[in-house]
Amino acid sequence: MEKEKSTGDFRYAVGAAKVPWHAVGEFYRAGDVLEVVKFLLPPGGDEAAWRQRLAAVESALQALSGEAATATKLTLGQQVQAAEAEARNYFDCRYACLLSNWTAGMEIAYKLSGLQAGDEVIMPAVTFIATMAYPLSIGAKIVFADIDPETINLDPADVARKITPKTRMIVPVHLGGYPVDMAPLMELAAEHGIYVMEDAAHGMGGAYRGRKLGAIGHFGGFSLHEVKNINSFGEGGLLLTNLDCGEQFAQARFLGLDFTRKIKDWLYDISPLTDRFGKLQIPGNHSASELQALGLRLQMKRLDAIIAMRRQAAEYMNGVLSEEPGILVEKTDTADTYGTHHLYLLRIDPKKVNGDIQTLSAKLAAAGLTNITHFGPMYRFRIMKQLGYDENAIAATCPRTEEMFYHSYTHLPLYPLTPEQLRYQAQAVVEAVRDMKRGR
């Protein structure tokens, strides 16, 4: 009699069966894998040579498929578990959760923090919309704090001025990968009983006073979107915490499915989340795929090397630009700060260069340089006006945001630039500033 085969890695543990019920409804074949290879490794300079090599790959894949089994688990399996274990080790934290994206990670952190309608969340006036998406969706109030003009990061002194009895969370954003000054924020949080969530979307691999970014606050995490220093095949997020509530991460990620409990004649129970105040929160569905996890694991192996290359590029930019009066180069790493150099922060003194950043940005664009000021002041968006926020009143409380965004800074790319591209970029900035000084 033929030996009974295992059902594979189906989500539900149904045991061995003569007729297996695989987790994967339709397996991927050699031809599908070939299309993935073509997508990830498109033609370069010599298309004819590429096609010749591709034919050899196709032949090898077909031969391999004759000897291979099929992947029987594509989501929330061993790769996800391994990625999370490696993240816990790398960031020296108790809990790590791989998710569909970082916006989902922030949603879970907000829920476990007990954020409710009417509560206040303090965050920088300059960040991406994802930072405030969940609080707005439940009717919490966003309080915008001003920025540090040297880093465009959250200014702890302004945070202190804007704390009220309704403040529940502070959300520092490590913009461009440069660490926020976390010590005074953590002191404020302890004094007022507030949680801190690090939005370290740009900060994977950075550190502050010897601790990895994302593992300093009560919660923290990273975007693994395609534009970041590393990604998980285009999308993904990683949420960290050292709090006991991290035990709920798996349920928070996948609709509260609780395999430690079962209802009558069924495979599992559904449990709500319990926030810091003991109140119930409803979990969502933010599952990560096995390929996302594999992509993260592969790129995390070279994360430190990637940051080192970006740092080298930033140091080169600083060296060239610092020679031209009126250009303010980005802050370098110190004994306390270790940035990821996701973006290069280019600042100018409008008085010394005879013009502002809008003029410089146009000149750089004309020279073929992509430059993007990250990000538009949050209070200027239409959604905020429609929700009753007074953009001009808020702008008056964030004067450095107004001055810096509209007049003084933009961002440039770093690695992976070729040495020629890097030299061209640095010199183009210098030449554009010199043109401005001449009134051109």
Side-chain angles (χ1 to χ4, degrees):
M1 182 176 178
E2 183 181 353
K3 185 178 179 179
E4 292 184 358
K5 296 180 180 180
S6 168
T7 57
D9 266 342
F10 188 55
R11 187 188 301 276
Y12 313 129
V14 294
K18 292 183 178 179
V19 181
W21 190 346
H22 295 287
V24 181
E26 173 63 23
F27 296 121
Y28 284 91
R29 304 174 183 179
D32 301 325
V33 176
L34 181 66
E35 292 301 315
V36 173
V37 171
K38 289 163 63 176
F39 172 75
L40 292 176
L41 300 173
D46 188 340
E47 186 167 349
W50 177 84
R51 291 191 179 281
Q52 183 179 8
R53 299 287 187 184
L54 183 68
V57 171
E58 182 176 13
S59 177
L61 281 173
Q62 291 294 347
L64 179 64
S65 68
E67 305 296 332
T70 51
T72 57
K73 185 71 173 163
L74 297 180
T75 182
L76 296 181
Q78 294 180 357
Q79 292 291 338
V80 170
Q81 294 171 15
E84 291 173 343
E86 290 165 9
R88 289 193 297 271
N89 181 64
Y90 182 83
F91 295 104
D92 191 22
C93 65
R94 294 174 63 195
Y95 301 101
C97 184
L98 184 62
L99 299 147
S100 53
N101 52 60
W102 172 227
T103 306
M106 287 188 283
E107 178 178 324
I108 291 171
Y110 280 127
K111 285 180 177 179
L112 293 177
S113 298
L115 191 69
Q116 301 181 59
D119 290 343
E120 294 179 358
V121 181
I122 300 178
M123 64 182 62
V126 175
T127 183
F128 185 53
I129 181 66
T131 312
M132 68 176 182
Y134 180 76
L136 289 181
S137 75
I138 65 168
K141 180 183 178 182
I142 306 299
V143 177
F144 295 106
D146 211 353
I147 59 173
D148 176 345
E150 288 193 320
T151 63
I152 320 300
N153 278 339
L154 188 67
D155 176 14
D158 199 44
V159 171
R161 288 189 287 269
K162 291 175 177 175
I163 290 176
T164 76
K166 293 184 178 181
T167 304
R168 291 291 176 267
M169 289 195 76
I170 302 170
V171 187
V173 179
H174 303 293
L175 191 66
Y178 192 87
V180 175
D181 189 5
M182 292 296 297
L185 294 179
M186 298 307 295
E187 291 171 4
L188 286 170
E191 179 182 350
H192 295 277
I194 298 168
Y195 270 6
V196 172
M197 176 175 64
E198 294 175 78
D199 182 348
H202 296 174
M204 178 173 276
Y208 172 85
R209 297 188 180 181
R211 298 181 64 186
K212 292 290 187 183
L213 302 185
I216 301 169
H218 300 91
F219 296 96
F222 315 94
S223 169
L224 301 169
H225 179 264
E226 62 182 358
V227 303
K228 301 306 187 290
N229 287 15
I230 66 171
N231 69 82
S232 51
F233 284 110
E235 282 285 3
L238 188 65
L239 173 64
L240 311 178
T241 192
N242 284 307
L243 301 178
D244 291 342
C245 64
E247 295 178 358
Q248 301 181 73
F249 276 177
Q251 290 167 231
R253 170 174 56 196
F254 189 54
L255 294 166
L257 268 68
D258 186 350
F259 291 97
T260 67
R261 300 164 49 89
K262 296 181 179 181
I263 62 172
K264 186 176 184 297
D265 295 330
W266 186 234
L267 304 169
Y268 53 78
D269 200 352
I270 299 293
S271 297
L273 307 180
T274 304
D275 67 26
R276 66 179 295 204
F277 303 111
K279 296 182 178 179
L280 302 185
Q281 298 275 353
I282 306 302
N285 186 1
H286 313 295
S287 298
S289 75
E290 289 286 86
L291 275 176
Q292 284 178 297
L294 178 59
L296 172 60
R297 296 183 68 197
L298 292 172
Q299 294 206 354
M300 272 200 73
K301 292 177 181 178
R302 54 183 186 267
L303 174 58
D304 292 340
I306 288 169
I307 293 174
M309 294 180 74
R310 287 178 172 269
R311 175 171 296 105
Q312 185 177 20
E315 290 171 349
Y316 174 82
M317 291 291 294
N318 276 0
V320 174
L321 301 185
S322 63
E323 297 297 318
E324 184 64 30
I327 298 179
L328 308 174
V329 299
E330 71 173 17
K331 291 187 71 172
T332 57
D333 294 324
T334 68
D336 287 341
T337 59
Y338 183 85
T340 67
H341 302 281
H342 175 60
L343 303 169
Y344 184 82
L345 176 59
L346 172 63
R347 296 175 297 139
I348 57 171
D349 182 331
K351 293 180 181 179
K352 291 184 179 180
V353 304
N354 192 34
D356 67 15
I357 202 65
Q358 305 304 321
T359 301
L360 179 57
S361 291
K363 286 183 175 294
L364 295 181
L369 293 187
T370 301
N371 67 107
I372 303 173
T373 308
H374 295 71
F375 292 92
M378 301 275 277
Y379 48 80
R380 296 290 187 189
F381 290 120
R382 179 185 180 194
I383 188 174
M384 305 307 290
K385 300 174 189 176
Q386 293 183 322
L387 290 173
Y389 288 75
D390 185 333
E391 65 171 300
N392 292 324
I394 298 171
T397 72
C398 298
R400 291 193 296 275
T401 297
E402 291 288 298
E403 169 61 29
M404 294 299 297
F405 178 80
Y406 291 106
H407 303 291
S408 300
Y409 84 93
T410 190
H411 286 107
L412 297 169
L414 292 171
Y415 171 81
L417 300 178
T418 65
E420 294 77 17
Q421 289 171 328
L422 192 61
R423 286 194 294 270
Y424 178 80
Q425 177 171 263
Q427 195 56 44
V429 172
V430 172
E431 291 175 1
V433 166
R434 288 174 179 172
D435 277 350
M436 291 170 64
K437 291 178 178 178
R438 299 185 191 107
R440 297 178 182 175

